[in-house]
Amino acid sequence: MQKMTKEEALKTVGDRKIVPVVKLDRAEDAKPLCEALCEGGLPVAEITFRTSAAEESIRIVAKAFPDMMVGAGTVTNTEQAQRAVDAGAQFLVTPGFSRKITEFAVDHGIMIFPGACTPTELMMALEYDLPVVKFFPAKQYGGAGTIKSFSAPFPSLRFMPTGGINESNILEYLALKPVIACGGSWMVKDSLIKENDFAGIRDMTKAAVQLVKGAEK
Ligand code: 3PG
C-alpha cells in the first residue's frame, strides 16, 4: 500500500474496527501471518517494536501486501519511528504519550495513535490536534466506563482502546461513540504464531470480523 494520508489512515482503521497487535520474533513469520489476517478479512496490522524482527517484518509486509495497512506499534523513541517509516509503516502507535515521537509524526505527516489514559495525557493529544488516542491499557484503566467519563470533557477526541480486549468485551467498547476501533492480540496470540498455526489465526480473525460487522453505535 502506498503512503497514506492521515485521513485515509483514520478512515481505514475506523472501517476495520479492529487493529491486530502483532509481536513477531521471526521476520519470516510476517508473510504467513499477514496472509492469515487478509484471508480472515482483516488487512491491517500493528507490528510492535517489542522484538528486533519488527522493522524487517514491516518492510516485508509493506512490500508483499499492497492492500494491507501496516503500522508500527510500541514505538518508544524517534529512532524506531524513523526506522518504521523507512520500512513502510503507515501509522505509528506509542504505548504512552511522547512529545518527541508525536512531533516526529506531525513533521512526517504520518498518523500517530499515542497511548493516553489520563485527562492530562488527553489534553496533550489535543494540544497537537491529534484526533485519536490509544487508550491503554484499557481494561486496567477502567475500560469502557472510563472512556464514557472522558467523552464529556473531551467531546472531540476519539479512542482506540487496547489492552485486555477480546471477543467477549469488544462490542462493549465499539458501542461507544468515541471508539473508532479496538486494538488487540487475541487473534494473533504468541502461542499461535510459535506453533505456525496460521489457519487458526485466519479462523479467529474471521470470527472477530464477523463479530464486529454489525457493531452499531
Ligand atoms: C498492546 O500493547 O497494545 C497490548 O499488548 C495489546 O493488548 P492485549 O494483548 O491485551 O490485546
Side-chain angles (χ1 to χ4, degrees):
M1 198 176 258
Q2 298 303 309
K3 189 171 183 245
M4 284 182 149
T5 64
K6 286 193 268 191
E7 292 70 26
E8 286 166 339
L10 205 54
K11 176 159 189 335
T12 305
V13 166
D15 288 347
R16 304 272 180 256
K17 298 195 186 115
I18 305 173
V19 175
V21 179
V22 177
K23 175 172 130 329
L24 288 169
D25 290 312
R26 304 176 307 178
E28 58 264 39
D29 289 336
K31 262 194 196 171
L33 176 93
C34 288
E35 247 154 40
L37 287 174
C38 290
E39 283 170 11
L42 194 53
V44 53
E46 172 193 330
I47 298 181
T48 59
F49 266 79
R50 291 174 202 186
T51 68
S52 56
E55 179 183 356
E56 184 55 16
S57 301
I58 292 170
R59 181 167 292 111
I60 289 170
V61 177
K63 206 165 158 213
F65 297 86
D67 296 331
M68 184 156 190
M69 182 190 191
V70 61
T74 320
V75 175
T76 56
N77 57 55
T78 53
E79 184 252 331
Q80 286 174 338
Q82 184 67 62
R83 282 165 50 209
V85 168
D86 291 346
Q90 290 151 328
F91 63 95
L92 303 176
V93 184
T94 57
F97 195 96
S98 155
R99 286 191 186 278
K100 274 190 189 166
I101 304 173
T102 299
E103 283 162 20
F104 172 96
V106 171
D107 289 348
H108 287 73
I110 186 168
M111 189 70 210
I112 182 165
F113 301 106
C117 57
T118 66
T120 304
E121 290 156 354
L122 298 183
M123 289 181 68
M124 287 162 74
L126 285 181
E127 281 175 22
Y128 287 93
D129 267 333
L130 303 181
V132 183
V133 296
K134 167 179 169 164
F135 177 55
F136 174 76
K139 189 169 171 230
Q140 288 78 0
Y141 276 90
T146 303
I147 297 176
K148 267 189 216 157
S149 307
F150 284 155
S151 58
F154 303 107
S156 65
L157 260 182
R158 296 289 173 264
F159 297 85
M160 182 166 77
T162 308
I165 297 179
N166 54 44
E167 62 274 73
S168 72
N169 58 10
I170 188 168
L171 293 180
E172 196 187 321
Y173 287 96
L174 288 177
L176 301 177
K177 201 162 171 269
V179 171
I180 71 152
C182 291
S185 66
W186 78 94
M187 77 301 283
V188 287
K189 274 194 209 99
D190 249 6
S191 53
L192 293 171
I193 298 173
K194 286 210 170 85
E195 289 157 17
N196 289 323
D197 187 3
F198 297 108
I201 291 174
R202 179 200 60 211
D203 293 347
M204 287 189 77
T205 303
K206 250 187 210 163
V209 169
Q210 198 56 37
L211 180 67
V212 303
K213 218 172 214 161
E216 297 288 339
K217 299 286 176 206

